[in-house]
């Protein structure tokens, strides 16, 4: 979500005549987009901003802005720690950044001293429709994030997002589809539909038709677009993951067999304390139903270890469900107190070393799963979407439908193409192989 927001701000600035430079050391304007989900993310952003602010001394034209969730969460209070920040812009005001920058720079050029930082963290009706601009770069764009919704009304007791992102608002379906069509026309092959709780998409604006939810209706419409070959989404909520969405995997081949389904905990007692309205049994039922429709499904999840009151037996239930779901990928977080959330005021906070231990237990399982999955791909031919040069610039990188990163030799003209790759070497995190001319999906003797 943050990457998408940053891209949109960059695109708007580029349209105003600003140039995006390769290195932060060469810029006159530095905008930090920030996350508030855990305290560590905020501390990192504050550290970075403090360090960068020193540049004002050398370059009086320098502009430093803090955007996004931490700006929204802390507002002008940030100036206590970071007095040299010029711009603080919240999550509903990203589209104002170009005007604020122009104003700041014009005032400085005119020699008008601006004593005060511009702070805008207000709410704005319709702001879910403002994140839509994509960067027009020379490089070919192969994959794209498309924002379908802003905010969240779920009130999970650990989570700061309803405060930083505001009420749940959906973009009109036709706007989203039009954006996807434009992206397809530019050569984009893979779309990731983005929202805090995509399974609730459009629930106030559209009706179910024939048992099909507005979110699945949206997927169907994107599926019809020629040129779009792969569809992903993040993040769904188990509560909204109903049969219509499970069945969609059976009939919509562009829907990639990779589902990120946040579990948070495998203990019903803790799920209740988190205000997550599903049971561990229901969660497992969704995973099983998806595997029944697509036996080759890849799963990833979000887990919080050390939520207040999480006893050894609660964690044991999380570990057991984590093991049973056989995840290919997971984001495991140590619970972080977020002031203003319900859980922040709960007693029985879990000591750090216990969180660390539980974190390690799950990471060990994940590493084994990932190794096992990757080993099972040795000798097979996978469909890979070529995204561009890898980090070294020597080879190319792309991902399988199951979202595994692949590294291989290719010709630049294959960027943006779906190609068959025979996997001949694997690590925990990546697959390595050679392009083949034979069909995709067949198994070749290793
Ligand atoms: N502490 C730790 N992890 C958190 N998450 C959200 N809030 C917290 C918190 N206070 C995790 C959840 C969520 C992911 C984006 O971040 O697992 O799904």
């Amino acid at each position: 979500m943050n990457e998408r927001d940053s891209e949109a701000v960059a695109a708007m600035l580029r349209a105003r005549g600003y140039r995006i430079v390769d290195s932060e050391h060469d810029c006159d304007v530095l905008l930090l987009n920030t996350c508030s989900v855990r305290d560590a993310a905020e501390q990192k952003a504050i550290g970075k901003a403090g360090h960068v602010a020193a540049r004002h001394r050398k370059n009086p034209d320098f502009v430093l802005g803090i955007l996004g969730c931490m700006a929204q969460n802390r507002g002008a209070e940030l100036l206590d720690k970071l007095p040299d920040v010029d711009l603080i812009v919240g999550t509903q005001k990203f589209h104002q950044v170009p005007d604020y920058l122009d104003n700041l720079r014009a005032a400085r050029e005119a020699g008008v001293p601006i004593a005060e930082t511009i702070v805008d963290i207000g709410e704005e009706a319709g702001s879910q429709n403002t994140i839509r601009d994509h960067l027009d770069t020379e490089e070919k764009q192969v994959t794209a994030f498309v924002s379908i919704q802003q905010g969240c009304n779920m009130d999970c007791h650990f989570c700061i997002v309803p405060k930083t992102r505001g009420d749940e608002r959906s973009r009109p379906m036709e706007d989203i589809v039009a954006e996807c069509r434009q992206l397809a026309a530019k050569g984009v092959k893979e779309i990731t539909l983005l929202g805090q709780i995509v399974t609730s998409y459009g629930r106030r604006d559209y009706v179910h038709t024939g048992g099909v939810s507005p979110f699945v209706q949206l997927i169907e419409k994107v599926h019809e677009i020629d040129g779009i070959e792969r569809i992903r989404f993040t993040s769904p909520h188990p509560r909204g993951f109903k049969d219509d969405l499970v069945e969609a995997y059976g009939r919509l081949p562009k829907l990639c067999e990779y589902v990120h389904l946040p579990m948070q905990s495998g203990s019903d007692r803790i799920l209740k304390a988190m205000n997550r309205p599903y049971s561990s049994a229901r969660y497992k039922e969704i995973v099983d139903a998806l595997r029944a429709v697509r036996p080759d499904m890849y799963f990833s999840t979000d887990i919080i270890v050390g939520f207040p009151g999480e006893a050894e037996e609660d964690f044991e239930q999380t570990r057991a469900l984590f093991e049973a779901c056989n995840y290919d990928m997971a984001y495991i977080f140590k619970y972080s107190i977020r002031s203003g959330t319900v859980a922040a005021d709960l007693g029985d906070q879990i000591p750090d070393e216990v969180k660390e231990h539980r974190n390690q237990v799950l990471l060990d399982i994940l590493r084994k799963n990932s190794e096992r999955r990757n080993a099972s791909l040795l000798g097979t031919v996978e469909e890979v979407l070529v995204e561009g040069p890898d980090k070294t610039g020597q080879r190319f990188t792309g991902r399988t439908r199951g979202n595994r990163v692949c590294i291989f030799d290719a010709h630049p003209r294959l960027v943006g193409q779906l190609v068959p790759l025979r996997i001949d070497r694997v690590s925990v995190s990546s697959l390595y192989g050679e392009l083949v001319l034979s069909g995709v999906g067949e198994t070749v003797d290793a």
Side-chain angles (χ1 to χ4, degrees), residues 173 199 201-202 206-221 242-245 247-248 251-252:
M173 213 180 284
T199 35
Y201 169 78
Y206 302 96
V207 292
H208 279 60
T209 51
V212 175
S213 63
F215 179 55
V216 175
Q217 293 169 35
L218 173 67
I219 294 173
E220 287 171 349
K221 292 213 160 78
K242 302 276 167 58
D243 288 348
D244 63 325
L245 184 50
E247 282 157 14
R251 61 189 169 86
L252 301 176

Side-chain angles (χ1 to χ4, degrees), residues 140-156:
K140 193 163 178 188
Q141 197 186 351
V142 178
T143 63
F145 293 129
V146 173
S147 172
I148 68 170
Q149 168 200 58
Q150 293 280 322
C152 183
N153 286 359
M154 282 307 285
D155 191 31
C156 298

Side-chain angles (χ1 to χ4, degrees), residues 111-133:
V112 182
I114 306 187
E116 305 213 11
T117 306
I118 298 178
V119 180
D120 188 358
I121 57 170
E123 285 183 26
E124 179 154 323
S127 65
Q128 72 272 27
N129 301 319
T130 58
I131 304 292
R132 50 160 194 260
D133 292 328

Side-chain angles (χ1 to χ4, degrees), residues 37-38 158-159 262 264 302-304 333-336 338:
V37 165
R38 285 169 298 281
F158 49 78
C159 189
Q264 312 300 1
D302 288 345
I303 305 278
I304 298 176
F333 305 109
K334 291 179 270 186
Y335 172 70
S336 166
R338 307 316 290 131

Side-chain angles (χ1 to χ4, degrees), residues 160-193:
I160 194 78
V161 167
K163 184 174 166 202
T164 60
R165 292 276 180 181
D167 278 341
E168 195 180 302
R169 292 104 61 210
S170 296
R171 279 178 75 193
M173 213 180 284
E174 55 271 33
D175 290 7
I176 298 168
V177 173
E179 181 178 332
C180 293
R181 277 215 191 87
Q182 281 169 6
L183 289 166
K186 288 195 338 193
V188 167
K189 296 278 163 51
E190 180 181 302
I191 297 273
T192 302
L193 302 172

Side-chain angles (χ1 to χ4, degrees), residues 423-443:
I423 311 302
D424 56 26
R425 188 164 72 80
V426 301
S427 69
V428 188
S429 58
S430 310
L431 310 176
Y432 302 81
E434 273 182 36
L435 299 182
V436 287
L437 297 171
S438 53
V440 175
E442 72 187 281
T443 306

